[in-house]
Amino acid sequence: MFESIALALAKALATYLFKYYVMATPVVKIEGAPGWYYKESSSEICVFANERGGYNAVDALKGRSGILMAEKIDGILQVAVYDNYRELKDPKEKEFVKAFMKDAELPVFITKTMKFRNIVYDKDIQTAFSKACIEKNELISYQEERLEKLKYSLSHERAGNAFDELEESVK
């Protein structure tokens, strides 16, 4: 049961990322910002941040970019799940999808894989700008690995519960 949902979730995520994600992002031009600011890449998921202040604004951007990336990935997952699984009836399937949506390891994945493509500090306007990205293929591989682990853990949990029920019925 979980195998088909896991496969469909991975497919829905990949479809959204490669088919709709870049098309849904408008071209934004911000006065004073570098030309690359808010320009998406077709092979990556990117977040853009700016911070006013002295040179220490560059460090503040790095921390904020991780938070923005986590929010963006959560949003992408919510759209992929909403488009395909909002009307699930089976409680076990709902449990599987809800467990997929809760990713405690996402901040570590982001720290490990996010790359800063551009960081610029403009001293005239005392603002730092950044573009940080994760390859779409890396995100899909990570989510597929999570789905496999989740499928395995839920299947074993169900098997353990079945054995407990069987033991109770024998007593």
Side-chain angles (χ1 to χ4, degrees):
M1 168 191 345
F2 294 135
E3 292 81 11
S4 62
I5 293 176
L7 183 63
L9 274 170
K11 183 180 175 189
L13 177 61
T15 300
Y16 178 74
L17 284 175
F18 287 102
K19 202 171 191 182
Y20 303 111
Y21 172 71
V22 172
M23 290 188 300
T25 307
V27 174
V28 177
K29 292 187 180 193
I30 298 174
E31 188 175 336
W36 48 261
Y37 195 70
Y38 264 96
K39 287 195 178 160
E40 294 286 351
S41 169
S42 62
S43 64
E44 299 173 311
I45 297 164
C46 299
V47 293
F48 304 88
N50 64 70
E51 191 77 33
R52 294 189 56 81
Y55 290 115
N56 60 342
V58 172
D59 290 331
L61 281 179
K62 290 181 178 181
R64 206 162 127 236
S65 294
I67 294 166
L68 291 172
M69 184 63 78
E71 290 172 357
K72 193 166 206 174
I73 290 172
D74 282 342
I76 289 167
L77 291 177
Q78 286 177 8
V79 169
V81 167
Y82 178 80
D83 283 351
N84 296 282
Y85 300 100
R86 67 178 175 253
E87 296 183 20
L88 287 175
K89 303 286 188 242
D90 186 333
K92 290 176 181 153
E93 291 176 346
K94 285 182 180 180
E95 176 188 353
F96 181 78
V97 172
K98 282 182 183 176
F100 174 68
M101 295 300 296
K102 295 177 185 171
D103 184 3
E105 295 178 4
L106 184 61
V108 175
F109 168 75
I110 290 170
T111 299
K112 178 183 167 201
T113 58
M114 186 171 68
K115 309 233 181 335
F116 286 88
R117 299 291 182 223
N118 301 93
I119 298 177
V120 170
Y121 180 78
D122 186 328
K123 63 182 177 183
D124 293 337
I125 58 173
Q126 294 187 337
T127 304
F129 298 91
S130 71
K131 176 180 182 178
C133 304
I134 293 177
E135 293 284 333
K136 289 179 184 178
N137 288 330
E138 284 184 275
L139 177 62
I140 290 171
S141 295
Y142 170 74
Q143 296 298 350
E144 287 173 343
E145 183 180 312
R146 279 189 59 236
L147 284 166
E148 283 301 312
K149 288 178 183 175
L150 186 59
K151 183 173 67 173
Y152 179 82
S153 69
L154 288 177
S155 294
H156 281 351
E157 180 183 320
R158 284 179 45 207
N161 290 343
F163 281 121
D164 291 344
E165 288 177 23
L166 184 61
E167 286 178 1
E168 287 297 316
S169 67
V170 172
K171 289 181 182 179

